[in-house]
Amino acid sequence: MSNIVEKAIQLLKAGKVIAVPTETVYGLAGDACNEQAIRQIFALKNRPADHPVIVHIAGAEQLADWARQIPDTAFQLAKKFWPGPLSFVLKKADHVSSLVTGGQDTIALRSPNHPLTHEILKGFGGGIAAPSANRFGQLSPTCAEHVAKSFPELPLIVDGGPCQVGIESTILDLSSNAPRILRPGMISKEQIERVIGSSVEQAEKTSPRASGSRPSHYAPNTKTTLLKTKELENFILRATQRIILLSFDMHDEWPCKTFVMPKDPAAYAHIIYQTLHDADQKNFELIVIETPPTTPEWSAILDRLTRATK
Ligand code: TXA
Ligand code: MG
């Protein structure tokens, strides 16, 4: 076991809050059975107490430690997608603190796919509560530097490199009869439906249960706007602000700085937060983002971009 993994386990056992990498975004991690640690996570993030956190576990064999009345679909999906960017909302086991669940009688569980964090989870043995390691409402961190900027006071930030997926996990509510996606992610509704053999609902955008489902979330500090391809030229040629543009093509002749974004959704998701963090650092007055296609494979990205727009 590497030194850093051992140190992470020691700190978690001592009730400390640290940052860990996952394949989606970095998490602000604490022992899910230690109320002091959970309180500290909420305090550091400035997160309202009624917004529950996801508990991370090593694998499906630990589901029953945290949840009850687990439907077969959870095991089928875990077999296919875990470790990976899919969280389940299930009825919580009796011992689970209501601090973790925001007072609800359900718990969100996920087995993340990052070798370092997997080793930490195995060695730690319990569950690790870990919301994204950003202050409430701000952009999620996809590398250790982003976390260090928001939380320089942490005793340890486990540096696992840039996050491979780059946006937060799909959250699937399996706590009632009809499976429902509470937050879209790179594991799509269609992929889930193929495994469980029945249709899945998509929750209304305004659902109050998931904090990621509030409209202004995942937002850069710089004002950000989404524009359709055909609106871009007119807008940029007339604008008076200093603009940074995230578009699918280079437009050398336009008076703005341009980041050319990938046309493949997985590649786009991988760099979107990094790009927004970078754009935010550069002292522009407006971030303009070219709206991606409205096809299903772009839906999680479109969801995050819409929330980044305020
Ligand atoms: O990819 C991810 O899910 C990342 C990494 C670190 O695992 N985590 C993450 O955590 O995005 P956070 O706290 O930023 O978002 C967790 C979302 C919130 O929107 C929260 O409201 C929702 O999960 N959630 C947690 N428990 C829930 C529950 N019992 N019912 C409904 N929503 C829940
Ligand atoms: Mg978050």
Side-chain angles (χ1 to χ4, degrees):
M1 199 182 283
S2 70
N3 281 346
I4 191 94
V5 168
E6 263 175 49
K7 190 167 173 207
I9 294 169
Q10 259 172 24
L11 286 165
L12 289 167
K13 286 190 172 160
K16 304 288 184 211
V17 173
I18 62 173
V20 297
T22 83
E23 80 280 34
T24 58
V25 302
Y26 277 69
L28 200 55
D31 179 354
C33 284
N34 182 324
E35 295 207 334
Q36 204 51 43
I38 308 299
R39 281 206 179 87
Q40 205 197 337
I41 291 175
F42 277 82
L44 280 164
K45 277 193 67 111
N46 200 15
R47 183 175 175 115
D50 61 350
H51 290 279
V53 293
I54 297 175
V55 173
H56 296 71
I57 53 180
E61 64 286 355
Q62 290 181 347
L63 275 171
D65 297 344
W66 298 92
R68 64 192 158 84
Q69 298 173 23
I70 306 166
D72 289 343
T73 46
F75 292 102
Q76 289 163 10
L77 289 163
K79 192 160 178 225
K80 173 85 179 169
F81 296 115
W82 277 12
L86 177 62
S87 301
F88 302 133
V89 171
L90 296 165
K91 292 232 169 20
K92 81 175 185 78
D94 289 339
H95 72 87
V96 179
S97 163
S98 64
L99 291 179
V100 169
T101 66
Q104 303 184 41
D105 109 31
T106 55
I107 180 170
L109 291 160
R110 165 168 121 80
S111 177
N113 187 15
H114 190 288
L116 286 174
T117 298
H118 192 71
E119 249 195 281
I120 293 170
L121 281 164
K122 282 277 199 197
F124 178 66
I128 296 178
S132 54
N134 54 278
R135 290 189 199 278
F136 188 67
Q138 305 212 319
L139 284 176
S140 294
T142 54
C143 65
E145 293 74 30
H146 297 160
V147 183
K149 226 175 260 167
S150 303
F151 301 111
E153 66 272 51
L154 292 180
L156 178 68
I157 297 171
V158 178
D159 188 345
C163 299
Q164 210 192 335
V165 174
I167 65 172
E168 303 79 358
S169 62
T170 307
I171 302 180
L172 179 68
D173 185 354
L174 293 173
S175 69
S176 61
N177 287 338
R180 214 158 53 105
I181 291 179
L182 301 181
R183 179 177 71 185
M186 294 310 282
I187 291 181
S188 67
K189 177 169 160 340
E190 292 73 20
Q191 280 174 292
I192 293 169
E193 286 173 338
R194 246 175 271 138
V195 173
I196 67 177
S198 61
S199 70
V200 170
E201 284 175 48
Q202 172 83 52
E204 290 285 310
K205 283 233 158 60
T206 50
S207 160
R209 293 185 76 200
S211 65
S213 67
R214 290 171 135 211
S216 177
H217 219 81
Y218 313 114
N221 295 319
T222 312
K223 188 172 161 44
T224 303
T225 185
L226 260 176
L227 289 179
K228 296 200 175 74
T229 307
K230 61 175 192 304
E231 298 168 331
L232 285 176
E233 181 166 19
N234 207 7
F235 183 90
I236 286 177
L237 294 182
R238 283 158 191 259
T240 54
Q241 305 101 313
R242 286 192 313 282
I243 293 179
I244 184 153
L245 170 68
L246 278 51
S247 76
F248 292 103
D249 297 289
M250 192 65 206
H251 301 282
D252 284 323
E253 64 291 2
W254 294 358
C256 59
K257 158 113 181 123
T258 306
F259 281 136
V260 177
M261 299 299 287
K263 291 179 175 154
D264 168 65
Y268 192 109
H270 174 63
I271 64 161
I272 183 58
Y273 284 141
Q274 176 72 55
T275 308
L276 289 172
H277 277 281
D278 289 349
D280 227 4
Q281 294 307 307
K282 291 204 158 71
N283 220 11
F284 284 89
E285 290 165 303
L286 183 66
I287 302 172
V288 173
I289 306 175
E290 180 175 1
T291 308
T294 50
T295 49
E297 62 272 24
W298 285 92
S299 69
I301 293 166
L302 187 57
D303 170 80
R304 299 309 188 280
L305 294 178
T306 306
R307 295 177 203 292
T309 311
K310 52 178 183 186

